[in-house]
Amino acid sequence: MTHPVSPLAPKTYVDMPPVRGVRMATAAAGIKYKGRTDVLMMVFDAPAAVAGVFTRSKCPSAPVDFCRQNLSGGVARAVVVNSGNANAFTGSKGRASTQMTAEAAAEAIGCSTREVFLASTGVIGEPLDATKFSGVLGDLATSATEDFWLEAAKAIMTTDTYPKVATATADIGGVPVRINGIAKGAGMIAPDMATMLSFVVTDADIAPSALQALLSAGVAPSFNSVTVDSDTSTSDTLLLFATGAAAGEGQVRIEDGGDPRLDSFRSALNTVLKNLALQVVRDGEGARKMVEVTVEGAENDAAAKRIALSIANSPLVKTAVAGEDANWGRVVMAVGKAGEHADRDRLSIWFGNVRVAFEGERDPSYDEAATTAVMEQEDIPIRVDLGIGLGRATVYTCDLTKAYVEINGDYRS
C-alpha cells in the first residue's frame, strides 16, 4: 500500500556528493513491493574500517547476528540491504539466507564473507528467499556508482514516505573529509537503537576502534533519543564506514577516538546522525506533528531521559497533540508514572513558550488561545521543569493519528 508523503517531509533533498571509496547500486527483486527497488549494494573498492550499533532486542534478526559476528574484524568490502522482509524470527532458514547472501556478495566483490555486512527490513516471521536477490549481486557490483545516494535511500524504504539522506563536511588535521548518510524508519521506532536502518560513510582515515567510539557516543543524543511508538525493532542496525581515501590527500590516520584532531569530524558526524534521526521521527507512520520533549530539573540526566520518554511514548499525550489539545494534565500523568523522583508541587510545564502549569497547579496567567496557537503548529516543543535537581534530557517524537492504526492494521497484507 502506498501512503501519502508525510507533511513533515523535507521540501527539497540536499545534494549528496560522492564519497571517495564507496559505490552503490540498487535492483528490484520483487521481495515484497512491486515496481520499486528493494535491494541495495554498497561496494568498497579497498577495505574500509567499520563500526556498528545494533538493536538491544533479545529477539534480533539473522542479519543483526551476522553483522555482530563480522564487526570484530573491523573491515568491510560490501553491504547488502533488502527491504520487504526483515529475515527475523526465521530460525535456521534465516541463518542459511544470510550465509547464501554473504557468499554471493563475497564472490561478486572478491572478498571474504567476514568482510560483508547485511541488513534486512520489513515483515517479521516470513522466510526470506535469498535467491531472489543474491543472483543480482554480481551485476550490482559491476554497475555500482559513486553518485547514487538518494536512490540508495529509496531502495531501503518500507512504510517510509520519503527517502532520508544527510551530508556534512569536516576536516582532520587540515584535510577536508566528507560524511554521507542514509536511513530508513517510520514505525517500530524506539531507543536502544531507535528503530531503523542507517548507513553512514566517510572518506576519512580512521581506525575501527576510534570509529566505534565516535559512533557509540553519537547515538545517545540522536537515534537513541527518538521514539515513534515505543517499539524497538528486531532489525535496528547503524553502520559507519571509513574508506580512508582522504589519506591520499595527506590525512594522517587516526587511531584514538579521543584524538583532538577529531573535534571537527565528531561534530559533523553527530550532525549527520541527528539529522537522520529527526527525519525518521518526521516520517513517523501517520505523523502530522513533531514533538520535542525536554525535561529539566530532574534528579540526574538519566532520570530526565526516562521521564521525557514516558511523556513522548504516552498514547494519551500523543493523541492530544494530534487533536491539537493542550492537555497538560496528560503530561503530569506521564511524569508521575515514570518511576523517577518528582515533586508534584514543584512541577512546571510549558507548551512552546506558554507556561501552562506552575508549581503544581494550572498557571495563574494561563491563556487558552495562546496555547492553542502553539498546538496548531507542525513542530511542538513541550518542556517540563521538575524543580528538584540539575538533570536534563531532550527526546523527539510525533503525534499518534488514525493513520498509524490503518498503516499497521494491514502491514502484512
Side-chain angles (χ1 to χ4, degrees):
M1 179 183 295
T2 301
H3 304 286
V5 175
S6 168
L8 307 179
K11 304 309 180 209
T12 59
Y13 294 111
V14 65
D15 179 43
M16 295 290 288
V19 172
R20 295 169 297 176
V22 62
R23 298 180 293 116
M24 290 157 288
T26 61
I31 293 171
K32 179 175 189 274
Y33 306 106
K34 304 302 180 184
R36 51 158 283 192
T37 55
D38 54 8
V39 179
L40 162 67
M41 188 174 195
M42 304 179 77
V43 179
F44 303 99
D45 290 322
V50 58
V53 182
F54 306 96
T55 181
R56 294 180 188 175
S57 168
K58 301 302 182 184
C59 299
S61 68
V64 167
D65 286 341
F66 185 89
C67 285
R68 280 180 171 145
Q69 292 170 4
N70 282 0
L71 194 63
S72 60
V75 176
R77 289 291 312 280
V79 182
V80 179
V81 189
N82 76 272
S83 61
N85 186 311
N87 196 12
F89 203 66
T90 47
S92 60
K93 293 178 181 177
R95 292 187 289 273
S97 179
T98 57
Q99 186 62 32
M100 179 186 300
T101 305
E103 289 174 357
E107 182 178 355
I109 300 299
C111 67
S112 163
T113 57
R114 292 279 295 169
E115 300 171 312
V116 175
F117 289 80
L118 307 175
S120 299
T121 179
V123 175
I124 295 171
E126 296 288 339
L128 173 62
D129 181 3
T131 62
K132 279 194 171 184
F133 61 88
S134 61
V136 306
L137 298 185
D139 290 339
L140 293 182
T142 302
S143 63
T145 180
E146 289 183 329
D147 189 12
F148 213 62
W149 285 93
L150 187 60
E151 293 304 315
K154 291 177 181 177
I156 63 175
M157 291 165 48
T158 50
T159 59
D160 305 58
T161 68
Y162 61 86
K164 299 161 183 68
V165 296
T167 184
T169 57
D171 75 83
I172 299 177
V175 178
V177 297
R178 178 167 296 282
I179 308 169
N180 280 7
I182 61 175
K184 68 78 50 181
M188 202 182 289
I189 309 269
D192 289 333
M193 278 272 311
T195 178
M196 40 112 269
L197 302 181
S198 185
F199 308 96
V200 181
V201 185
T202 178
D203 52 12
D205 192 4
I206 303 175
S209 59
L211 209 62
Q212 186 65 54
L214 291 165
L215 184 63
S216 295
V219 295
S222 58
F223 284 113
N224 279 352
S225 291
V226 300
T227 177
V228 167
D229 49 21
S230 82
D231 287 333
T232 299
S233 170
T234 60
S235 306
D236 299 341
T237 298
L238 169 56
L239 294 172
L240 171 61
F241 304 93
T243 69
E249 304 298 321
Q251 187 227 304
V252 176
R253 182 176 174 84
I254 304 295
E255 299 285 348
D256 183 356
D259 193 314
R261 290 173 293 182
L262 284 173
D263 288 351
S264 171
F265 182 88
R266 180 182 296 106
S267 177
L269 174 64
N270 290 347
T271 296
V272 168
L273 295 177
K274 186 173 181 180
N275 187 322
L276 292 171
L278 293 187
Q279 287 188 61
V280 169
V281 174
R282 299 181 76 84
D283 201 17
E285 290 168 341
R288 304 194 68 81
K289 296 179 183 292
M290 178 172 163
V291 186
E292 177 185 272
V293 180
T294 299
V295 172
E296 55 194 21
E299 199 166 28
N300 50 53
D301 289 349
K305 189 165 187 178
R306 280 189 283 271
I307 293 169
L309 286 170
S310 179
I311 298 167
N313 283 325
S314 165
L316 290 176
V317 171
K318 290 158 69 71
T319 50
V321 172
E324 300 181 346
D325 178 14
N327 193 335
W328 49 266
R330 293 181 177 181
V331 176
V332 174
M333 173 277 299
V335 171
K337 75 170 186 175
E340 298 297 329
H341 180 46
D343 185 335
R344 175 198 60 206
D345 297 329
R346 297 184 187 181
L347 190 64
S348 298
I349 301 170
W350 288 258
F351 284 81
N353 292 323
V354 180
R355 192 173 67 182
V356 297
F358 179 61
E359 294 185 346
E361 59 183 315
R362 186 174 67 182
D363 191 286
S365 59
Y366 176 77
D367 185 333
E368 182 75 25
T371 312
T372 298
V374 172
M375 301 306 292
E376 290 174 344
Q377 300 171 2
E378 283 188 348
D379 292 78
I380 300 174
I382 297 176
R383 180 163 63 95
V384 174
D385 189 341
L386 298 175
I388 59 175
L390 299 177
R392 189 180 191 281
T394 298
V395 302
Y396 305 88
T397 190
C398 57
D399 57 347
L400 178 59
T401 68
K402 294 177 181 178
Y404 180 89
V405 178
E406 293 168 356
I407 291 167
N408 287 283
D410 64 359
Y411 181 63
R412 291 179 67 247
S413 57

